[in-house]
């Protein structure tokens, strides 16, 4: 009836039968999940939030709400994975010449879940959520092309994340690392349910990402507002387009590889087995066919964020727009040509390694172009050192360092020396943390006012930055050093006394990152409390340049009262400079928006149930879940009435009130943008001073 | 350039239903992109097969030992014919709105599709019964069954989809959204043809020649 | 106006019908050609493989042209999409075969 599931599968039984520190840590984590779940349930019930949660959020197909839910998911999962990182650091500190307090098996689960979660359930949902929120606003669209599909993508990702969370309580997760290389992850060496958790969580997430990629690519191709030709799109939209294209093509190899691994495990096929004609090296090949583009799926949207941040907080048009676009496209195509550098040591001949090594080094060129463009954007700009800008400047230094070590690793002869060492771990954290993670933090600081109508507390944000940035350096630069000395990755214990001091410094860094994370949470809490004085209802707190800043904050559900028409790059900035911003439209029309629907949460629920059935060999649950997913799709396809209408009068009333408020507001200069005087109406500095020439150019462009 | 020339190729609604036609632009383009993503999935399976059909034979039979071309030829003809009848169904939908003829062509298409899947299942039966060639036998056979099986699964899904759409045509009538779904299914169907061309060439013919 | 639409419609219809017929005939001919190469052993070895590959490519192109109606004149977006996908497929398939063959050869 319940397949392989027994009472012994619960994590708590381990602590009872075999009491040890390792088991207690595992049970503690399991308790946090269970108690947290119960607490959340009760909180929602007491506050009577269940109904609004369902009607306003879970069933919503509004791209803004979907985006916010993605980011909430990412933050929750981030908290788990960052704590796991700190636990691993403390284990390595404690494990000098001894066993430490975690069993090797438990340590294996930790680095596997840490990697899997950080990539698939933190970085991916974070960038997806951000693209969801921002991209349609930047191109002047009312929603994405397929709003319901968008919600389904979200719920599939949530389903995958839930599986990973369940694995804390029921059974164990894989110990095979986030890359899950066979034959170790094959049934022979990993007979338990752990690898199956990995397979189905990742598969659900990757299907969700493929659908997201399709959705966003079509949205950008087909839903741009009049006048928004491709070379007028903001940089973030460009990077979203390239990321979507990567998602469309790169997720398929992952799906194929994990399904082959599943067939090996469930049905005794021989794709990656040791004997009978299996070829385990093909798994590495297929995995990195996905895995390398994945790196750029993550970092390209962050590059887009950096472009928006640096140009806004320098008060300048982005330097070298065309070169940035070309560099982005180059990176997108190159990213498909370098996957072998993840397994230089697998045994192919030097010629193959050299070809892929050279291709890898070539990616440094377009990335270098971007770095120069960002620096030159700041040159003679009106720079304000706000929190996102601090993260950006930190990013420029750190990313160049991380990129340089990447170029080192691209050389196969050097890679042979340091592969599978902590040097590698230091390298990829050095690009992903200052590049992607801090990029996402900067993006939250930057766009939070647009989403919720008030700014985040500046002082706490700065404090968080001063913990996170140095914390990162302390946590990961020592790993370069001991990696060079020979410390291997994924190792629970070690005996070389020379490592000790470096692991201690790394632990200090990890503690600082935890503190910085806590400060970020405090920042949100404090900001919510002080939301009145931080309010920016007029929607443009940073003297923004693209269309999303031209509408109220929080953005109305229909985004734009009237679909805008643009005449140049940086359309809203141009409008502010030549005085055409905030004009009342001649006429309002009814707006059709997609109706909320329960399809997505139902599909997510059934997909999760089906995957759980597969993991525990509960075949009836697997089959019912699978059939129900498709039943929901088919039944809902018979309902053709999926839209509702917002009457023109409602739109008019709200928009006229907004425009009236803008007219009456005093406006704030850049000197005061972090004070409570900032209500979201910017006084563009170009009016007064040195960019008069530029402004004239914009006006002629706008009138033609 | 006229609207019906500019937008989504082939299975369009053209001048007969310009409103649905324009509305279709996003959906059809999105479906094209999905098909391309699916194509990449198949290309991964092809690449895996290409390596394993030679390197992964192990103690099992090699492609030459077990492939019989006659049923493959028949399957190819059946699938090509079904693509053609689907094309005629789309023309019917687009230009004449004769529900009975449309139903006839769609039924024929579905039956040909089902015949194709049946023939392929029969191939599997022969492989298992006469050659003892199961997917568990060797890496080559694992890759063979996965590649052809994924294609057969796609065709089966397309048949179920066709049935659902037939029911929708009967209950909801030939309204815009249902027409658009039929157009997407047609694209899917034709794309499976193209993948089958790859399979009969690179799996069966190459297997026998090599 | 209505008259115009329906007459273009009629013209369009016969053109499209012709396309489907052309596609079907081409597909049959090319399929028969491919199978005959093997059945009647017209060619063997690498020459056969190359010819079969070319025939398959032509048949795919014919399907795309006549059944999916993609051509360079009016449907450039889709053509570009297909060409870009072909590039990715080429990289994936070519790269995989190159890598696995190379590794295999070194294990012998």
């Amino acid at each position: 009836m319940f397949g392989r599931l027994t009472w012994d599968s619960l994590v708590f039984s381990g602590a009872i039968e075999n009491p040890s520190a390792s088991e207690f840590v595992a049970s503690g984590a399991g308790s946090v999940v269970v108690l947290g779940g119960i607490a959340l349930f009760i909180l929602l019930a007491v506050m009577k939030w269940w109904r609004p949660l369902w009607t306003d959020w879970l069933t919503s197909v509004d791209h803004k709400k979907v985006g916010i839910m993605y980011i909430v998911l990412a933050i929750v999962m981030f908290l788990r994975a960052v704590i796991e990182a700190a636990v691993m650091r403390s284990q390595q500190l404690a494990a000098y010449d001894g066993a430490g307090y975690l069993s090797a098996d438990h340590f294996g689960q930790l680095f596997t879940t840490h990697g899997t979660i950080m990539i698939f359930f933190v970085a991916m949902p974070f960038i997806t959520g951000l693209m969801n929120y921002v991209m349609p606003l930047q191109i002047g669209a009312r929603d994405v092309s397929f709003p319901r599909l968008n919600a389904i993508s979200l719920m599939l990702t949530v389903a995958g994340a839930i599986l990973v969370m369940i694995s804390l309580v029921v059974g164990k997760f894989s110990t095979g690392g986030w890359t899950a290389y066979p034959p170790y992850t094959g049934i022979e060496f990993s007979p338990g349910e752990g690898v199956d958790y990995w397979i189905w969580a990742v598969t659900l997430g990757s299907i969700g990402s493929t659908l997201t990629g399709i959705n966003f690519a079509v949205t950008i191709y087909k839903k741009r507002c009049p006048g928004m030709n491709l070379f007028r799109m903001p940089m973030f939209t460009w990077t979203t387009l390239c990321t979507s294209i990567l998602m469309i093509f790169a997720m398929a190899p992952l799906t194929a590889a994990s399904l082959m691994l599943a067939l090996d495990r469930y049905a005794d096929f021989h794709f990656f087995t040791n004997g009978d004609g299996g070829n385990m090296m093909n798994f590495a090949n297929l995995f990195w066919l996905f895995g390398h583009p994945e790196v750029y799926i993550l970092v390209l949207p962050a590059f887009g964020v950096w472009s928006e941040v640096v140009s806004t907080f320098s008060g300048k048009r982005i330097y070298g727009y065309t070169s940035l676009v070309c560099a982005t496209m180059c990176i997108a195509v190159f990213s498909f040509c370098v996957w072998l550098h993840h397994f230089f040591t697998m045994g192919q001949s030097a010629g193959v390694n050299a070809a892929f090594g050279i291709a890898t080094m070539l990616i440094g060129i377009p990335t270098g172009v971007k770095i120069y463009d960002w620096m030159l954007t700041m040159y003679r700009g009106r720079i304000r050192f706000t929190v996102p800008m601090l993260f950006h400047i930190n990013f420029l230094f750190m990313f160049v360092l991380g990129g340089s070590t990447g170029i080192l690793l691209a050389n196969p002869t050097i890679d042979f020396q340091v592969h599978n060492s902590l040097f590698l771990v230091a390298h990829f954290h050095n690009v992903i943390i200052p590049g992607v993670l801090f990029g996402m933090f900067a993006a939250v600081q930057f766009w939070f006012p647009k989403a919720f109508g008030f700014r985040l507390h500046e002082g706490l944000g700065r404090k968080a930055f001063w913990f996170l940035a140095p914390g990162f350096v302390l946590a990961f630069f020592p790993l370069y050093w001991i990696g060079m000395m020979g410390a291997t990755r994924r190792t629970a214990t070690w005996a070389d006394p020379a490592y000790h001091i470096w692991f201690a410094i790394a632990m200090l860094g990890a503690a600082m990152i935890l503190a910085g994370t806590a400060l970020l949470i405090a920042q949100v809490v404090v900001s919510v409390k002080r939301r009145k004085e931080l309010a920016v209802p007029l929607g443009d707190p940073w003297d923004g340049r693209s269309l999303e800043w031209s509408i109220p904050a929080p953005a109305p559900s229909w985004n734009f009262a009237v679909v805008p028409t643009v005449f140049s790059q940086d359309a809203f900035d141009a409008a502010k400079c030549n005085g055409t911003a905030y004009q009342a439209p001649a006429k309002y029309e009814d707006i059709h928006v997609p109706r909320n629907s329960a399809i997505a949460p139902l599909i997510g629920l059934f997909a999760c149930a089906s995957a759980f059935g597969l993991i525990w060999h509960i075949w009836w649950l697997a089959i019912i879940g699978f059939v129900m997913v498709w039943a929901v799709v088919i039944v809902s396809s018979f309902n053709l009435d999926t839209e509702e209408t917002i009457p023109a009068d409602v739109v008019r009333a709200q928009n006229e009130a907004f425009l009236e408020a803008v007219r009456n507001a005093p406006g704030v200069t850049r000197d005061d943008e972090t004070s409570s005087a900032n209500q979201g109406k910017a006084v563009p500095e170009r009016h007064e001073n040195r960019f008069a020439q530029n402004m004239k150019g914009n006006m002629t462009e706008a009138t033609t | 350039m006229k609207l019906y020339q500019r937008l989504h190729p082939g299975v369009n609604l053209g001048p007969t239903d310009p409103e649905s036609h324009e509305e279709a632009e996003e959906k059809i383009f999105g479906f094209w992109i999905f098909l391309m993503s699916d194509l990449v999935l198949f290309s991964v399976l092809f690449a895996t097969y290409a390596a394993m059909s030679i390197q992964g034979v192990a103690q099992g039979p090699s492609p030459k030992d077990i492939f019989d071309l006659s049923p493959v030829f028949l399957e190819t003809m059946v699938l090509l014919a079904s693509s053609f009848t689907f094309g005629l169904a789309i023309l019917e939908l687009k230009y004449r709105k004769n529900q009975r003829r449309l139903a006839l062509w769609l039924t024929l298409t579905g039956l040909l599709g089902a015949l194709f899947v049946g023939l392929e299942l029969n191939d599997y039966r022969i492989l298992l019964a006469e050659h003892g060639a199961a997917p568990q036998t060797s890496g080559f056979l694992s890759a063979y069954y996965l590649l052809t099986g994924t294609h057969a699964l796609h065709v089966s899904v397309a048949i179920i989809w066709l049935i659902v759409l037939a029911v929708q045509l009967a209950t909801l009538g030939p309204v815009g959204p249902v027409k658009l779904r039929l157009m997407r299914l047609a694209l899917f169907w034709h794309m499976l043809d193209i993948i089958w061309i790859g399979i009969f060439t690179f799996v069966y013919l190459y297997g026998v020649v090599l | 106006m209505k008259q115009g639409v329906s007459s273009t419609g009629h013209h369009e219809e016969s053109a499209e019908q012709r396309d489907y017929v052309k596609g079907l005939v081409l597909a049959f001919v090319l399929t028969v050609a491919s199978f005959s190469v093997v059945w009647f052993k017209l060619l063997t070895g690498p020459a056969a493989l190359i010819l079969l590959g070319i025939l398959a490519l032509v048949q795919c192109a014919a399907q795309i042209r006549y059944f999916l109606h993609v051509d360079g004149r009016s449907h450039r977006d889709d053509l570009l999409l297909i060409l870009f996908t072909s590039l990715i497929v080429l990289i994936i398939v070519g790269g995989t075969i190159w890598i696995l063959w190379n590794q295999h050869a070194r294990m012998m």
Side-chain angles (χ1 to χ4, degrees):
Chain A
M1 179 70 184
F2 291 109
R4 294 181 175 176
L5 197 58
T6 63
W7 286 110
D8 286 343
S9 307
L10 285 179
V11 68
F12 309 109
S13 72
I16 296 164
E17 285 165 15
N18 174 27
S20 68
S22 192
E23 290 290 353
F24 286 133
V25 171
S27 297
S31 317
V32 170
V33 173
V34 174
L35 295 176
I38 294 172
L40 187 67
F41 188 90
I42 294 173
L43 179 74
L44 290 172
V46 169
M47 304 297 283
K48 297 205 167 72
W49 282 345
W50 271 112
R51 183 175 286 277
L53 179 70
W54 177 257
T55 53
D56 294 346
W57 290 91
L58 296 180
T59 57
S60 175
V61 293
D62 180 344
H63 73 97
K64 298 182 288 300
K65 287 182 173 170
V66 170
I68 291 168
M69 284 189 278
Y70 261 119
I71 292 175
V72 169
L73 171 73
I75 290 172
V76 170
M77 299 306 282
F78 173 73
L79 292 178
R80 171 175 167 192
V82 78
I83 290 171
E84 284 175 340
V87 172
M88 283 190 285
R89 277 278 148 273
S90 67
Q91 155 73 13
Q92 282 181 324
L93 184 61
Y96 166 55
D97 223 8
Y101 65 97
L102 296 180
S103 67
D105 193 58
H106 193 174
F107 191 79
Q109 286 186 57
L110 281 173
F111 65 66
T112 306
T113 46
H114 172 78
T116 307
I117 290 175
M118 282 295 194
I119 297 291
F120 293 104
F121 301 110
V122 177
M124 287 298 266
F126 222 135
I127 59 145
T128 310
L130 198 65
M131 296 191 296
N132 243 311
Y133 195 94
V134 176
M135 179 271 287
L137 295 178
Q138 284 196 332
I139 60 171
R142 290 237 162 88
D143 208 325
V144 293
S145 282
F146 310 112
R148 285 206 286 187
L149 188 70
N150 198 22
I152 292 171
S153 304
L154 165 70
M155 289 305 168
L156 288 176
T157 311
V158 170
I162 288 174
L163 285 179
V164 183
M165 292 313 268
I166 289 177
S167 78
L168 272 181
V169 183
V170 188
K172 291 188 161 74
F173 202 76
S174 165
T175 52
W178 82 280
T179 52
Y181 277 8
Y184 178 73
T185 49
I187 200 74
E188 197 181 348
F189 301 104
S190 299
E193 68 284 354
V195 179
D196 300 329
Y197 267 121
W198 182 90
I199 289 173
W200 299 115
V202 164
T203 300
L204 288 176
S206 76
I207 293 171
S209 296
T210 311
L211 299 178
T212 299
I214 295 169
N215 208 340
F216 288 179
V218 178
T219 307
I220 295 176
Y221 259 95
K222 301 288 183 189
K223 276 196 119 68
R224 280 170 283 134
C225 67
M228 176 77 74
N229 59 34
L230 285 174
F231 278 85
R232 285 177 183 164
M233 298 196 310
M235 267 322 291
F236 182 77
T237 301
W238 261 111
T239 56
T240 300
L241 177 61
C242 289
T243 290
S244 310
I245 292 170
L246 292 183
M247 282 178 169
I248 293 160
F249 295 112
M251 303 317 281
L254 174 67
T255 311
S258 53
L259 288 179
M260 288 183 209
L261 185 60
L263 284 171
D264 273 8
R265 291 177 58 84
Y266 284 84
D268 201 22
F269 279 43
H270 294 289
F271 288 106
F272 310 127
T273 53
N274 225 338
D276 291 327
N279 182 357
M280 63 202 76
M281 291 182 290
N282 191 27
F283 182 88
N285 172 59
L286 297 181
F287 183 86
W288 291 111
L289 266 171
F290 143 79
H292 197 82
E294 167 73 12
V295 175
Y296 291 94
I297 290 174
L298 301 183
V299 86
L300 284 181
F303 285 172
V305 172
W306 295 128
S307 304
E308 302 292 332
V309 162
V310 73
S311 99
T312 304
F313 290 110
S314 301
K316 267 177 73 185
R317 168 187 287 223
I318 186 89
Y319 182 89
Y321 174 85
T322 315
S323 67
L324 275 170
V325 170
C326 293
T328 307
M329 289 197 283
C330 274
I331 292 175
V333 175
F334 271 149
S335 72
F336 278 104
C337 307
V338 301
W339 73 97
L340 181 128
H341 71 221
H342 295 271
F343 48 99
F344 274 146
T345 57
M346 203 169 267
Q348 54 282 350
S349 60
V352 182
N353 277 354
F356 280 90
I358 292 166
T360 307
M361 291 180 200
L362 284 179
I363 290 197
I365 296 171
T367 316
V369 168
K370 291 184 161 226
I371 299 278
Y372 284 112
D373 281 337
W374 290 319
M375 291 197 300
L376 288 165
T377 304
M378 282 192 275
Y379 178 64
R380 298 183 76 177
R382 168 72 162 94
I383 300 178
R384 290 97 71 193
F385 292 99
T386 52
V387 180
M389 199 61 178
L390 291 178
F391 275 116
H392 178 70
I393 294 165
N394 175 65
F395 156 77
L396 287 180
F397 285 101
M398 290 300 142
F399 197 79
V400 168
L401 279 176
S404 308
T405 57
I407 298 290
L408 289 178
L409 285 162
N411 184 335
T413 48
I414 296 179
D415 184 85
F416 263 69
Q417 310 302 317
V418 291
H419 91 106
N420 216 33
S421 76
L422 287 178
F423 187 88
L424 170 75
V425 174
H427 158 68
F428 69 72
H429 284 87
N430 196 348
V431 282
I432 290 182
I433 294 179
V436 181
L437 185 68
F438 290 178
M440 292 303 112
F441 288 165
V444 170
Q445 309 280 329
F446 188 55
W447 277 295
F448 186 92
K450 177 54 61 187
F452 296 100
F454 55 96
R455 289 180 292 117
L456 286 168
H457 190 276
E458 190 74 12
L460 280 167
R462 279 163 183 276
K463 281 203 184 70
F465 170 80
W466 286 112
F467 275 90
L468 288 168
F472 159 75
V473 173
L474 289 177
F476 289 96
F477 280 28
L479 301 192
Y480 279 127
W481 192 244
I482 48 178
M484 297 277 266
M485 291 159 72
T488 50
R489 69 193 293 207
R490 295 173 174 168
T491 307
T493 64
W494 45 278
D496 187 340
Y499 297 172
H500 205 154
I501 178 70
W502 302 112
F503 272 130
I505 295 171
M507 182 70 231
L508 177 67
M512 284 179 71
I513 291 174
L514 279 185
T517 309
L519 280 167
L520 282 179
I521 295 168
Q523 185 196 27
V524 174
V525 175
V526 169
S527 307
V528 171
K529 280 204 179 129
R530 298 200 200 163
R531 61 187 176 278
K532 288 241 163 59
E533 59 181 282
L534 294 169
V536 285
L538 306 182
D540 182 25
W542 318 120
D543 190 11
R545 312 178 69 79
S546 40
L547 288 175
E548 77 266 32
W549 304 107
S550 67
I551 56 173
S557 66
W558 51 81
N559 293 357
F560 297 92
V562 169
V563 172
T565 305
V566 302
F567 302 99
S568 67
Q569 272 172 34
D570 289 347
F572 182 52
D573 184 62
K576 279 188 286 190
C577 287
N578 56 36
T580 54
Y582 304 119
Q583 278 178 345
K587 113 176 192 291
Y588 292 90
E589 282 175 359
D590 290 353
I591 294 174
H592 303 284
V593 293
R595 206 190 292 278
N596 283 6
S597 122
I599 295 172
L602 285 178
I603 287 179
L605 181 73
F606 291 127
C608 191
S610 179
F612 188 78
L614 284 168
I615 290 164
W616 289 100
H617 296 221
I618 310 170
W619 303 122
W620 59 267
L621 183 63
I623 292 167
I624 290 177
F626 184 80
V627 170
M628 287 304 289
V629 166
W630 289 105
V632 170
V633 171
I634 290 171
V635 170
S636 67
S637 75
F638 278 82
N639 175 17
L640 300 179
D641 176 31
T642 57
E643 286 192 334
E644 57 191 9
T645 304
I646 297 171
D649 289 340
V650 175
V651 180
R652 182 204 314 277
Q654 197 165 328
N655 198 45
E656 295 292 334
F658 165 66
L659 294 176
E660 181 69 21
V662 171
R663 272 193 289 278
N664 295 335
V668 63
T669 61
R670 293 309 95 204
D671 293 323
D672 296 327
E673 75 183 343
T674 53
S675 76
S676 58
N678 187 353
Q679 294 183 12
K681 180 181 175 185
V683 176
E685 299 217 331
R686 294 181 168 198
H687 272 309
E688 296 111 39
N689 50 35
R690 55 191 176 218
F691 293 110
Q693 200 59 39
N694 198 347
M695 183 184 89
K696 219 179 270 170
N698 274 331
M699 279 174 80
T700 42
E701 204 173 342
T703 45
T704 47
Chain B
M1 202 181 291
K2 291 187 189 102
L3 180 73
Y4 61 85
Q5 288 175 321
R6 188 158 53 79
L7 305 174
H8 48 85
V11 282
N12 61 38
L13 297 171
T16 52
D17 192 355
E19 209 168 289
S20 313
H21 190 69
E22 197 150 15
E23 186 192 325
E25 193 177 2
E26 269 173 282
K27 293 187 173 164
I28 297 287
F29 189 63
F31 198 73
W32 264 104
I33 298 182
F34 162 75
L35 287 177
M36 293 300 116
S37 180
D38 210 30
L39 200 63
V40 171
L41 183 83
F42 272 106
S43 78
V44 169
L45 301 185
F46 269 112
T48 300
Y49 177 83
M52 299 198 104
S53 62
I54 293 172
Q55 302 167 3
V57 173
Q59 291 79 30
S62 71
K64 220 176 193 144
D65 302 332
I66 52 171
F67 287 161
D68 180 7
L69 289 186
S70 319
V72 178
F73 184 73
L74 189 59
E75 282 155 25
T76 307
M77 289 300 154
V78 168
L79 200 61
L80 287 175
S82 78
S83 243
F84 181 69
T85 54
F86 209 145
L88 295 184
I90 292 293
L91 287 182
E92 201 62 47
L93 179 78
K94 183 171 166 182
Y95 293 107
R96 269 193 299 277
K97 305 187 168 88
N98 180 338
Q99 283 270 40
R100 278 191 43 209
R101 293 263 295 273
L102 176 62
L104 182 76
W105 287 125
L106 288 180
T107 312
L108 197 57
T109 307
L111 288 176
L112 286 169
L115 179 61
F116 171 83
V117 176
L119 284 170
E120 228 183 338
L121 289 178
N122 190 46
D123 279 359
Y124 290 164
R125 190 188 59 75
I126 292 171
L127 282 181
L128 290 169
E130 294 181 11
H131 300 282
Q136 289 84 358
T137 310
S138 69
F140 149 58
L141 284 164
S142 297
Y144 166 79
Y145 277 97
L146 181 64
L147 175 56
T148 53
T150 307
H151 182 264
L153 193 69
H154 272 71
V155 178
S156 312
V157 168
I159 293 168
I160 296 173
W161 190 358
L162 187 63
I163 293 169
V164 171
L165 288 189
V167 174
Q168 291 190 348
L169 273 175
T171 56
L172 304 171
V175 289
V178 178
K179 282 184 180 178
L180 290 188
R181 286 170 194 162
L182 213 54
M183 287 159 59
R184 276 173 276 177
L185 177 57
L187 288 179
F188 191 67
W189 203 281
H190 293 315
M191 196 55 76
L192 290 177
D193 245 21
I194 292 180
I195 289 161
W196 181 256
I197 294 170
I199 291 181
F200 84 67
T201 305
F202 298 116
V203 174
Y204 292 106
L205 293 181
Y206 269 41
V208 173
V209 169
L210 271 172
Chain C
M1 172 74 197
K2 249 181 188 162
Q3 205 92 40
V5 168
S6 73
S7 76
T8 10
H10 185 71
H11 175 70
E12 273 284 292
E13 184 187 1
S14 47
E16 279 194 46
Q17 230 158 15
R18 268 202 305 279
D19 268 6
Y20 279 112
V21 174
K22 274 187 214 162
L24 185 72
V25 170
L26 265 176
F28 274 145
V29 169
L30 289 163
T31 305
V32 170
S34 288
F35 277 85
S36 334
V37 168
V38 181
W39 265 328
F40 304 117
K41 297 209 165 43
L42 299 179
L43 284 172
T44 50
L49 297 186
I50 291 169
L51 181 64
L52 288 173
I54 291 172
L55 284 173
L57 210 63
V58 172
Q59 194 172 345
C60 287
Q63 290 253 346
I64 289 172
R65 171 67 189 82
Y66 293 112
F67 283 177
L68 292 164
H69 303 256
V70 178
D71 56 45
R73 276 176 295 118
S74 49
H75 305 298
R76 194 154 292 161
D77 273 5
D78 303 88
L79 188 67
L80 283 178
L81 181 68
I82 291 174
L83 289 178
F84 184 73
T85 310
S86 309
L87 174 72
I88 300 290
V89 166
L90 201 70
I91 293 173
I92 289 179
V93 176
T96 299
I97 291 177
W98 187 31
I99 293 166
L100 294 184
W101 236 270
N102 191 280
Q103 290 175 337
H104 187 68
R106 286 161 64 86
M107 289 201 305
M108 303 294 268

